[in-house]
Amino acid sequence: MAGHAMPGEAVDPYSAHDSGMAHGNMTMVGQVDHARNGFDPTAMLTDWETGRTEVLPDGRTLRTFEVDAIDVEIEIAPGVFFPAWTFNGRVPGPALRAKEGERLRIVFRNLGSHPHSMHFHGIHSARMDGVQGAGLIDPGEEFVYEFDAKPFGCHLYHCHALPLKRHMHKGMYGLFVVDPDPARHPEFAAVAASRVLGSPENAEWQELAMVMNGFDTNFDGENEVYAVNTVGQAYMNAPIWIDKSRPVRIYLMNATEFDPINSFHLHGNFFDYYDTGTQLTPTLRTVDVIMQCQAQRGILEFSFADHEDGMYMFHAHQAEFTELGWMGFFDVREAGA
C-alpha cells in the first residue's frame, strides 16, 4: 500500500493514498543522506549505548562507556549542512543507559578543536561535574568521569564549557537513562522491571529515544531548523512503525537552544507523563501535550491497542517549529500487517 513502510524504510510523505499525510505537506522537499551523516534518526530511536560491564570485588557492576568529542559537518535538512560539535560523531550523542546502583566510568577523549566536557544530570561529586576546574579538558586530552548510577530516571548529559549556549546548540548533548532496580522498589517492582532494558517485562514495550533540538544555521541566535533526533522531517519521510498490540514508552528530552520551551503533541491519543522519570507513578495522566524547557525531560507512556490502523501525527505545538521540520508520524498497524 502506498505510503506504508517497514521500520527504517522510506515512504513518500506526499502520497495521495494516505489521508492525514496532507496535513504535513507544507515544509521540506527531498531526503537527507543518513549514510553520509553516519547516523540514522530511525536507528537512533532504539540504539541504546550500554557500554561494557565487569563485576567489581564487592559484587557490583562496573559499566564503562567511551565517548569522543569530534567536529563533524552534518546534514540537518535536505541540502542544509551544519558544522556540529559532537559526542561520538552524532547529534544527539549516544543514548547512554545503565541500571540504578551500578558504578559508571565514562572515558572521555577530546578529539575536537575546542575545550569540552561532559556534565551529567545526576548525583555525583564536584570533581565529576564537568565544569571549569572539574573535568573540562583541552583538545587532545582525556578525562575519566566516575560515579554511581543514581537516581533512576530519564536524564541527560551535555558539554558545560563556556559559552554554554554555543556548545549546546552545536550539538553536544545526549540522553542518559538510569533504569530502576526493581529490588529497591518492591512496592512498584513490576513497573520498575518494565523499565529495565533486556528484561522480559521490558520486551513487552516499544521504547523510543527522542531528543528535541534546533539548529541556528546562520548563527543569528534564532533557529532555522527544528527536529527530533536532528534531521528535520525525518519521521515524516520514514514514519515510525508501531505494533498496536504493544504499549509505547518514549524517553523525551528537550535540548533546543534559543527558544524558552519546546513541546510534544500526540494526535488521536493521550499519554501518561513521568516528569524526569524519577517516579514509578505518573506525574500527569491522560494528556496529549507536554511542554519542556531546555534540559527538561520525562517519560511518555501510551497505547494504540484500541485504535484503527493508520498514520498518527506527532509534532511540536508551536506552528513555527512544525513548519521548520519538527513533525512526524507513527505508522500504527497490527504486527505483520
Side-chain angles (χ1 to χ4, degrees):
M1 179 177 177
H4 287 272
M6 293 305 290
E9 189 176 80
V11 302
D12 177 7
Y14 303 101
S15 168
H17 298 286
D18 269 317
S19 61
M21 279 293 200
H23 181 52
N25 293 351
M26 57 187 178
T27 53
M28 302 169 182
V29 177
Q31 297 278 344
V32 165
D33 187 345
H34 302 313
R36 181 192 182 280
N37 272 349
F39 58 86
D40 185 326
T42 296
M44 278 181 163
L45 292 167
T46 55
D47 184 17
W48 298 104
E49 175 56 61
T50 56
R52 63 180 186 273
T53 61
E54 59 188 275
V55 179
L56 295 169
D58 64 1
R60 284 203 305 162
T61 296
L62 171 66
R63 191 175 298 272
T64 301
F65 300 99
E66 296 191 14
V67 180
D68 296 340
I70 309 170
D71 296 358
V72 180
E73 183 181 67
I74 60 175
E75 188 178 9
I76 58 172
V80 179
F81 295 88
F82 183 79
W85 298 341
T86 75
F87 291 116
N88 284 3
R90 49 171 275 182
V91 180
L96 307 182
R97 192 156 178 177
K99 186 177 179 181
E100 182 183 15
E102 292 179 334
R103 187 67 174 175
L104 304 185
R105 180 177 293 162
I106 302 94
V107 181
F108 176 54
R109 293 176 291 264
N110 187 356
L111 307 182
S113 55
H114 294 72
H116 293 303
S117 71
M118 294 184 73
H119 166 68
F120 287 84
H121 284 228
I123 298 173
H124 49 251
S125 70
R127 295 180 297 107
M128 298 295 158
D129 204 34
V131 298
Q132 269 75 2
L136 184 66
I137 68 170
D138 291 326
E141 295 186 350
E142 178 181 300
F143 188 86
V144 178
Y145 301 94
E146 191 164 321
F147 49 87
D148 292 339
K150 61 181 182 180
F152 73 84
C154 178
H155 308 308
L156 73 151
Y157 64 91
H158 60 87
C159 180
H160 213 291
L162 299 177
L164 186 57
K165 66 180 180 181
R166 181 167 176 79
H167 287 252
M168 283 288 293
H169 129 263
K170 291 276 277 183
M172 304 203 77
Y173 45 78
L175 273 170
F176 168 48
V177 172
V178 178
D179 295 335
D181 179 356
R184 300 182 182 213
H185 310 282
E187 69 278 28
F188 299 110
V191 176
S194 79
R195 289 200 201 167
V196 178
L197 186 67
S199 71
E201 296 87 351
N202 180 256
E204 298 175 6
W205 289 77
Q206 298 167 100
E207 293 191 327
L208 305 173
M210 291 189 172
V211 176
M212 302 184 293
N213 49 5
F215 297 90
D216 175 13
T217 58
N218 60 6
F219 302 98
D220 65 350
E222 296 184 4
N223 294 312
E224 283 72 47
V225 174
Y226 294 88
V228 164
N229 294 343
T230 297
V231 176
Q233 282 188 192
Y235 305 121
M236 287 182 65
N237 293 329
I240 301 170
W241 182 78
I242 296 295
D243 175 356
K244 65 187 295 183
S245 69
R246 298 165 61 210
V248 180
R249 175 180 289 136
I250 296 177
Y251 292 87
L252 181 72
M253 188 260 282
N254 178 25
T256 312
E257 189 62 74
F258 305 126
D259 289 282
I261 61 168
N262 207 327
S263 61
F264 181 101
H265 169 49
L266 178 61
H267 278 217
N269 209 342
F270 281 69
F271 53 83
D272 289 346
Y273 184 69
Y274 301 75
D275 192 19
T276 316
T278 50
Q279 302 294 323
L280 297 173
T281 56
T283 310
L284 297 171
R285 294 183 184 272
T286 320
V287 296
D288 66 345
V289 179
I290 191 70
M291 294 185 296
Q292 293 182 340
C293 66
Q294 189 194 76
Q296 193 169 356
R297 65 277 184 192
I299 297 172
L300 287 65
E301 292 182 350
F302 53 95
S303 171
F304 284 104
D306 297 327
H307 286 63
E308 64 182 45
D309 292 5
M311 293 286 185
Y312 291 86
M313 181 177 283
F314 61 93
H315 58 85
H317 219 291
Q318 295 102 308
E320 177 189 15
F321 292 13
T322 64
E323 293 173 5
L324 293 175
W326 183 165
M327 181 185 295
F329 287 97
F330 290 123
D331 182 0
V332 175
R333 286 179 275 161
E334 295 280 359

